[in-house]
Every structure is written in C-alpha cells, then in structure tokens.
Amino acid sequence: MKVLFADEKKNWHMLVDIVLEKRNIDVEHAYTVNEAVNKISAGNLDFAILDVRLRDGTAYDVLKQVKPKVPVI
C-alpha cells in the first residue's frame, strides 16, 4: 500500500513514517501544493492525507488542480 502525506511540518512527516512503515505502508511525502499535485497525478497511490495548510497554498488548491482517483483525507 502506498500513501501520500502532504503537510508543511517536517516533524509530522517523521511521525507518519514511524507509524505507517511499521504497518508495511509506503509513504510518499509532499510539502507543497506542486509536490502533492505531481504525486497524486502520477496515479500510483492508494490514498492521500492532505493537511489543509501547505507551504505554498492549501489542500483545496491541490484538489482544484487534480481529480484524484484515490480517497483523500
């Protein structure tokens, strides 16, 4: 299983890695709207977790640019 985690805070990324990798879930990381859009558009995710605030915008900006074919939390 592969998950995208998008958040501006590095500490949250480290925590998500620890928790999800113990459950054999691969984590892709994004810190900006552009990174999140590119990774969702690549189409190889099972779901995405988007924080509302990213470095250069919001999760809503991501969703406006892509129509994800995966669940988004």
Side-chain angles (χ1 to χ4, degrees):
M1 180 174 282
K2 188 177 262 189
V3 173
L4 171 67
F5 180 69
D7 192 297
E8 65 181 6
K9 296 169 218 70
K10 191 171 187 175
N11 291 342
W12 282 107
H13 286 268
M14 293 183 325
L15 179 63
V16 166
D17 269 342
I18 291 167
V19 172
L20 295 182
E21 287 181 354
K22 287 183 179 182
R23 290 161 176 81
N24 295 321
I25 298 173
D26 293 326
V27 181
E28 289 281 327
H29 297 277
Y31 295 89
T32 66
V33 169
N34 192 41
E35 289 176 330
V37 167
N38 289 339
K39 291 183 180 191
I40 290 172
S41 296
N44 59 352
L45 300 169
D46 294 301
F47 70 94
I49 302 169
L50 305 177
D51 185 34
V52 172
R53 283 192 195 167
L54 299 171
R55 288 184 182 161
D56 59 346
T58 69
Y60 304 111
D61 298 326
V62 174
L63 295 174
K64 286 178 192 173
Q65 294 183 44
V66 295
K67 294 187 182 192
K69 296 177 181 174
V70 296
V72 175
I73 298 171

